[in-house]
């Protein structure tokens, strides 16, 4: 009770509210605060938008990548399954066909496999031109974006070669490939994996393809296996 | 001077809250769409991987993987797994014809790579019977 008047006296005197009579407006401090909040929100939104866009784009890239991979795998599987098989034009009719259908084509066709490429004879899929036997080569061509898995082919009717080699890129962004061949060479008794294959009398039964692909910053490793159905390699 | 004239023009707390809620809903929808697209791209990813693995394994059976009746399983390092079941093929309650020392097997391969639903490939394979002891 006694102190009340004195405490009241100690309180600072509130200054007169400015602009009560003048025009109302925003002060500089208010403007700065509003601007900083706005810019903070804009930065956050921009960051979010940027992230979202990147996720969206990478999702699309991935989808394209998966599609290409799946298609390349299907195409190679189909092609290799009938590798070593000859068209009626090439196969000598008669006794050989009865004695063993696989012997004649393989003698003529040949199959050369190395760790980084392979050469084989197969029927050209009709999507790529008129049907016929072609000599195919699967290899990796390096370029500045990693490399391409390239399939090139040359028409090979009898001894005569017609036209220049044609080629198609099966996969892009291929860092490295490695091939291995399963089967037994004519001088072996049991089937095993080989780093290279050069046997004029037989095809490998199974081919392994190790791929390392770059997808953006990511490295994808794949191991794929392909059957050679016309192999006479009894495994 | 009336009360309304006296009040300073500005946003009330309710107005700010409402605008924040609306902004939040918009952002949440955006994030939802993004995460859905991310999930679906991951699904397609694992689906392709499962399919490639299944195709390759089917090609290996009877070549470097022996064709023998039985059940085998395996797991992937990044989740999921596969199971391979090989059983003698049965046609109308009887074993399929075993002709000239050959027998028919039913091969069922299931590859499961979440979040994609399991991929199952089924095939019939012919193999030479194990040499009978005389």
């Amino acid at each position: 009770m006694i102190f009340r008047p004195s405490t009241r006296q100690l309180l600072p005197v509130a200054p007169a509210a400015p602009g009560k009579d003048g025009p109302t407006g925003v002060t500089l401090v208010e403007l700065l605060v509003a601007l900083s909040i706005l810019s903070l929100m804009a930065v956050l939104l921009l960051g979010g938008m940027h992230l979202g866009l990147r996720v969206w784009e990478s999702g699309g890239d991935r989808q394209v990548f998966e599609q290409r991979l799946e298609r390349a795998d299907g195409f190679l599987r189909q092609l290799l399954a009938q590798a070593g098989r000859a068209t009626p034009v090439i196969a000598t009719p008669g006794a050989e066909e009865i004695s063993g259908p696989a012997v004649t084509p393989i003698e003529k066709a040949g199959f050369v496999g190395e760790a980084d490429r392979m050469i084989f004879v197969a029927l050209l899929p009709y999507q790529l031109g008129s049907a016929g036997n072609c000599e195919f080569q699967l290899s990796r061509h390096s370029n500045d974006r990693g490399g391409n898995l390239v399939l090139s082919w040359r028409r090979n009717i009898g001894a005569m070669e017609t036209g220049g080699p044609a080629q198609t890129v099966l996969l892009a962004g291929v860092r490295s490939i490695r091939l291995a061949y399963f089967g037994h060479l004519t001088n072996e008794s049991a089937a095993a994996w080989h780093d290279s294959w050069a046997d004029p009398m037989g095809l490998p039964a199974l081919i392994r393809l190790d791929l390392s692909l770059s997808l953006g910053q990511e490295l994808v490793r794949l191991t794929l296996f392909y059957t050679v159905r016309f192999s006479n390699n009894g495994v | 001077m009336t009360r309304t004239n006296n009040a300073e023009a500005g946003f009330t707390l309710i107005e700010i809250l409402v605008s924040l809620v609306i902004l939040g809903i918009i952002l949440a929808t955006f994030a939802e769409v993004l995460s859905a697209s991310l999930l679906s791209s991951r699904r397609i990813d694992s689906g392709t991987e499962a399919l490639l693995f299944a195709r390759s394994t089917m090609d290996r059976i009877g070549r470097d993987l022996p064709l023998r009746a039985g059940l085998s399983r395996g797991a992937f390092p990044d989740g999921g797994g596969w199971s391979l079941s090989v059983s003698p093929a049965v046609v109308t309650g009887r074993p399929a014809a075993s002709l000239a020392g050959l027998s028919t097997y039913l091969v069922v391969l299931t590859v499961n790579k979440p979040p994609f639903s399991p991929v199952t490939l089924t095939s019939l394979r012919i193999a030479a019977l194990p040499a009978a002891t005389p």
Side-chain angles (χ1 to χ4, degrees):
Chain A
M1 287 288 247
I2 304 160
F3 296 111
R4 238 191 191 169
S6 58
T7 27
R8 213 171 241 174
Q9 265 180 343
L10 282 172
L11 279 172
V13 180
K20 264 273 154 109
D21 315 318
T24 53
V26 282
T27 62
L28 184 63
V29 174
E30 280 170 350
L31 192 69
L32 284 180
V33 166
L35 270 179
S36 61
I37 290 173
L38 191 74
S39 59
L40 193 73
M41 277 178 77
V43 164
L44 284 179
L45 247 161
L46 199 71
M49 284 286 212
H50 190 68
L51 183 77
L53 201 69
R54 246 195 13 220
V55 166
W56 193 271
E57 274 177 355
S58 79
D61 285 354
R62 233 196 145 92
Q63 228 152 310
V64 170
F65 172 80
E66 301 287 344
Q67 259 178 19
R68 284 196 72 101
L69 191 61
E70 200 269 327
R71 258 183 252 166
D73 175 73
F75 178 76
L76 214 54
R77 196 168 295 283
Q78 200 187 347
L79 190 69
L80 281 170
Q82 45 94 8
R85 179 201 196 183
T87 52
V89 184
I90 273 203
T92 16
E96 287 97 326
E97 236 163 72
I98 300 157
S99 65
V103 176
T104 315
I106 287 159
E107 260 183 346
K108 294 204 171 192
F111 184 100
V112 181
E114 278 159 39
D116 59 343
R117 66 198 150 104
M118 66 177 172
I119 298 164
F120 57 96
V121 169
L123 278 175
L124 186 69
Y126 67 87
Q127 294 95 330
L128 293 176
S130 58
N133 250 20
C134 281
E135 190 184 89
F136 288 89
Q137 176 171 336
L138 183 73
S139 59
R140 176 183 167 273
H141 294 188
S142 53
N143 60 11
D144 52 342
R145 283 182 299 114
N148 290 334
L149 186 66
V150 174
L151 184 74
S152 59
W153 64 92
R154 200 163 37 189
R155 205 147 298 174
N156 180 16
I157 300 169
M160 187 176 62
E161 282 177 7
T162 54
Q167 67 173 43
T168 183
V169 174
L170 287 181
L171 278 176
V174 179
R175 293 271 191 87
S176 69
I177 66 167
R178 194 182 157 77
L179 287 154
Y181 310 90
F182 184 80
H184 58 82
L185 299 161
T186 28
N187 56 358
E188 287 178 328
S189 55
W193 283 104
H194 300 274
D195 282 338
S196 63
W197 188 277
D199 189 359
M201 294 304 288
L203 291 164
L206 190 68
I207 296 164
R208 189 181 70 213
L209 173 62
D210 289 308
L211 280 173
S212 66
L213 305 156
S214 52
L215 169 64
Q217 309 294 321
E218 214 180 317
L219 192 70
V220 180
R221 280 179 205 285
L222 277 174
T223 303
L224 302 167
F225 293 85
Y226 299 101
T227 300
V228 181
R229 212 161 291 155
F230 288 90
S231 163
N232 58 348
N233 216 315
V235 176
Chain B
M1 265 193 178
T2 56
R3 208 183 133 82
T4 38
N5 279 348
N6 209 1
E8 275 184 47
F11 298 115
T12 64
L13 183 64
I14 299 291
E15 281 168 346
I16 288 170
L17 284 181
V18 166
S19 70
L20 274 180
V21 165
I22 291 172
L23 189 73
I25 289 171
I26 290 171
L27 285 181
T29 315
F30 190 62
E32 189 70 28
V33 168
L34 266 187
S35 78
S37 104
L38 205 65
L39 185 71
S40 73
S41 93
R42 209 174 301 149
R43 272 172 68 103
I44 291 171
D45 224 32
S46 62
T48 311
E49 273 173 40
L51 186 66
L52 291 183
F53 178 83
R55 278 183 186 166
S56 282
T57 307
M58 273 313 217
D59 267 15
R60 291 175 71 184
I61 294 164
R63 306 277 171 164
D64 74 327
L65 298 177
L67 181 61
R68 244 186 263 120
L71 182 75
S72 45
R73 286 171 191 288
F76 299 116
D78 50 348
W82 54 271
S83 75
L84 172 69
S85 138
V86 179
S87 55
V90 174
V91 179
T92 60
R94 287 181 307 170
S98 49
L99 213 74
L102 297 174
S103 61
T104 315
Y105 288 103
L106 177 70
V107 177
V108 181
L109 174 68
T110 304
V111 179
N112 183 26
K113 263 200 177 259
F116 198 76
S117 45
V119 174
T120 302
L121 297 186
T122 307
S123 171
L124 281 175
R125 293 293 168 91
I126 296 169
L129 282 172
T133 43

